Amino acid sequence: MAAIWSEKHKTDKWLQVELLACEGWAREGTIPQDAIEKIRKAQYNAQRMHEIEEETHHDVISFLRSIQEQLGPEGRFIHLGLTSSDVLDTGLAAQLKEAGQILTVGLQQLTDAVAKVAVEHKYTLITGRSHGIHAEPMTFGLKLALWVDELRRHQTRLAAAIEQVAFGQISGPVGTHASVPPQVEEYVCEQMGLHVAPISNQIIQRDRHAHFMTTLALLGSSLEKMAQEIRHLQRTELSEAFEPFGSGQQGSSSMPHKRNPELCERICGLARLLRGYAVTAMENVALWHERDISHSSTERIIIPDACTLLDYMLHIFTNVISGLQVDAERMLANLNMTGGLVFSQRILLALIDKGVGRQEAYKIVQRNAKKVWAQTSQGAIKGAALVDALSEDAEVTGYLNRQELEELTSTDYYTKYVDYSFKRIGL
């Protein structure tokens, strides 16, 4: 990724555009055969470019002059009929396509890693939580299978974003093709593996780039969501899952016991940066008339940075998932720590099934749940506290005996469709 966004690779792409445009002109009969033979061997001089730019304050002009100085008379054909953005935007499109291919591979690797752990923990019981509070039993595999499905959606989005941004143009100062025919444009884009912008002005329209950047930001947001979940599961109070921690790694300069989720925290922080870049990309869509340069200064920062950051985030999170340490015993212990409160809905439904009105049944279960909640101040509750409380409630025992209540606390009830969900997403 660093190589793609290097100054050398960018300038190499500019040279490729210029030489292909000359080839296109030669096919049209405008550039003589003897001249095109010399032009094909043309090179730019990076040092000379920088020297000229000190004078011109224009990177493309400096680039062109460094080529033309080496070519001699044939140099007059370089940049024939083109404007700077023909070179800049077509070269940028090629870089974006290459960067997108790397991101595509990284996203696939992460998806595969998450899928592997999801299958491994398909039936590992964990407490489902809403608002951070115990809800009902589920499995850790289901939690990760949900991520697999989301990452696959991002694969579709990323492919579409790459497709939409991989467009080139060779259409002249305001896109009329008055100074360079469409045939030259079509030849250049075909040779570079790009689509031809059906219509342009001086630039490729920035809604394409905004689409790409917002796609990267959205993927970053999903990575943040997943990393944040692991951060929560690693909290001391939960201690259910941990990101990798090397044998010589140290978590704190002052507290030797610390084992912090620093990789996941890093991902969460970088996701914020990606979202900021996406906002800038959307503001770049509105330019004056056929073009101004308010977008280009920001793009030199946000596009290479965003691609590099997301590549890094995918790499880091793939390592986190691949080395994730799951404490299934702690997950089960946490599931049982509230004395069976997680089974409240099933008991509610059983009372309704016995003929009790929903609101009445809700109040019966809720008041007994409150008694159990009151016990949590003493720490984890041992035993079936909710069943104990319900078994002493005459309104409950008139409908459900203790054996029936105990049967209602079987976790098998909550895992009976796990396999169905996995099959739905092909796992």
Side-chain angles (χ1 to χ4, degrees):
M1 188 64 79
I4 287 172
W5 295 112
S6 68
E7 191 73 15
K8 181 182 185 304
H9 191 65
K10 178 185 75 172
T11 318
D12 285 347
K13 287 299 174 185
W14 293 0
L15 180 62
Q16 184 181 10
V17 173
E18 292 286 0
L19 297 185
L20 286 172
C22 289
E23 293 280 4
W25 277 118
R27 288 162 61 92
E28 297 299 309
T30 302
I31 298 179
Q33 191 61 37
D34 59 337
I36 195 65
E37 292 297 332
K38 293 181 180 179
I39 289 171
R40 287 186 183 123
K41 300 173 184 177
Q43 294 291 328
Y44 64 89
N45 184 306
Q47 181 177 346
R48 183 63 180 138
M49 278 179 60
H50 295 147
E51 292 171 357
I52 298 171
E53 193 169 356
E54 289 292 323
E55 172 194 343
T56 63
H57 301 284
H58 195 294
D59 53 359
V60 175
I61 290 175
S62 306
F63 162 74
L64 294 171
R65 280 178 57 180
S66 80
I67 299 173
Q68 291 161 347
E69 287 177 353
Q70 299 176 55
L71 276 177
E74 292 78 16
R76 71 187 188 278
F77 294 116
I78 299 292
H79 206 63
L80 184 64
L82 277 60
T83 191
S84 295
S85 289
D86 288 333
V87 180
L88 296 173
D89 280 4
T90 304
L92 177 60
Q95 288 177 283
L96 282 165
K97 184 177 179 180
E98 292 171 347
Q101 290 167 345
I102 290 179
L103 294 174
T104 298
V105 172
L107 179 54
Q108 183 63 60
Q109 290 172 340
L110 174 59
T111 306
D112 292 343
V114 176
K116 183 176 183 294
V117 181
V119 171
E120 181 182 346
H121 291 281
K122 186 175 183 179
Y123 293 107
T124 300
L125 287 169
I126 190 174
T127 308
R129 298 171 173 93
S130 56
H131 305 274
I133 309 300
H134 282 208
E136 289 192 341
M138 60 179 294
T139 74
F140 189 54
L142 274 177
K143 188 186 291 283
L144 297 185
L146 187 76
W147 297 359
V148 172
D149 192 41
E150 185 166 347
L151 290 170
R152 287 175 178 171
R153 289 197 297 277
H154 282 300
Q155 290 177 328
T156 301
R157 293 185 186 109
L158 182 58
I162 295 169
E163 181 77 8
Q164 283 296 310
V165 84
F167 276 76
Q169 65 164 48
I170 306 291
S171 56
V174 291
T176 62
H177 287 102
S179 59
V180 55
Q183 296 93 311
V184 172
E185 177 181 60
E186 290 164 3
Y187 177 77
V188 171
C189 291
E190 179 185 5
Q191 294 301 307
M192 295 191 71
L194 300 172
H195 304 295
V196 177
I199 186 170
S200 57
N201 45 31
Q202 195 174 92
I203 60 170
I204 296 291
Q205 299 306 289
R206 259 44 195 178
D207 65 290
R208 296 185 183 277
H209 303 76
H211 178 199
F212 183 85
M213 293 290 287
T214 53
T215 298
L216 267 54
L218 183 56
L219 175 50
S221 293
S222 288
L223 295 182
E224 179 185 17
K225 178 187 81 171
M226 298 167 193
Q228 182 170 263
E229 179 70 13
I230 293 173
R231 288 171 62 194
H232 279 308
L233 296 179
Q234 188 163 332
R235 287 187 298 119
T236 306
E237 291 81 2
L238 273 66
S239 295
E240 294 180 352
F242 304 83
E243 66 176 43
F245 195 82
S247 58
Q249 189 171 340
Q250 296 175 313
S252 168
S253 64
S254 58
M255 296 168 284
H257 74 278
K258 293 283 280 180
R259 178 178 177 176
N260 304 322
E262 57 95 6
L263 295 175
C264 289
E265 288 172 342
R266 200 182 305 173
I267 289 167
C268 291
L270 293 177
R272 299 168 191 169
L273 196 56
L274 281 180
R275 287 193 290 273
Y277 287 165
V279 171
T280 303
M282 287 187 284
E283 296 198 358
N284 284 343
V285 173
L287 303 174
W288 286 21
H289 302 297
E290 278 57 63
R291 186 229 179 178
D292 60 57
I293 63 167
S294 61
H295 67 290
S296 61
S297 57
T298 65
E299 286 178 353
R300 292 168 191 258
I301 301 168
I302 65 172
I303 292 178
D305 259 24
C307 292
T308 304
L309 284 175
L310 185 58
D311 183 38
Y312 175 72
M313 291 165 70
L314 289 168
H315 174 73
I316 289 294
F317 199 54
T318 299
N319 287 340
V320 168
I321 293 296
S322 298
L324 193 67
Q325 297 176 17
V326 178
D327 191 336
E329 291 184 6
R330 182 60 181 262
M331 288 178 176
L332 185 58
N334 287 344
L335 177 63
N336 294 326
M337 71 181 294
T338 57
L341 288 178
V342 292
F343 305 111
S344 68
Q345 184 198 203
R346 193 176 181 203
I347 294 167
L348 165 69
L349 296 176
L351 287 171
I352 293 171
D353 192 51
K354 292 287 187 177
V356 183
R358 181 177 181 85
Q359 293 307 312
E360 182 184 354
Y362 192 100
K363 290 178 181 178
I364 291 171
V365 178
Q366 185 182 45
R367 71 168 178 255
N368 284 284
K370 286 180 178 179
K371 295 177 184 177
V372 177
W373 270 122
Q375 301 176 37
T376 59
S377 60
Q378 305 301 315
I381 300 170
K382 296 181 179 180
L386 182 60
V387 169
D388 291 342
L390 292 168
S391 298
E392 296 172 1
D393 189 320
E395 285 193 79
V396 175
T397 55
Y399 297 99
L400 298 168
N401 60 40
R402 185 176 181 93
Q403 181 180 346
E404 289 175 309
L405 288 169
E406 289 176 348
E407 290 173 355
L408 293 172
T409 64
S410 170
T411 55
D412 291 344
Y413 173 82
Y414 300 92
T415 60
K416 58 187 176 183
Y417 291 118
V418 168
D419 192 55
Y420 190 83
S421 295
F422 270 65
K423 285 181 179 178
R424 271 185 168 180
I425 62 169
L427 288 182

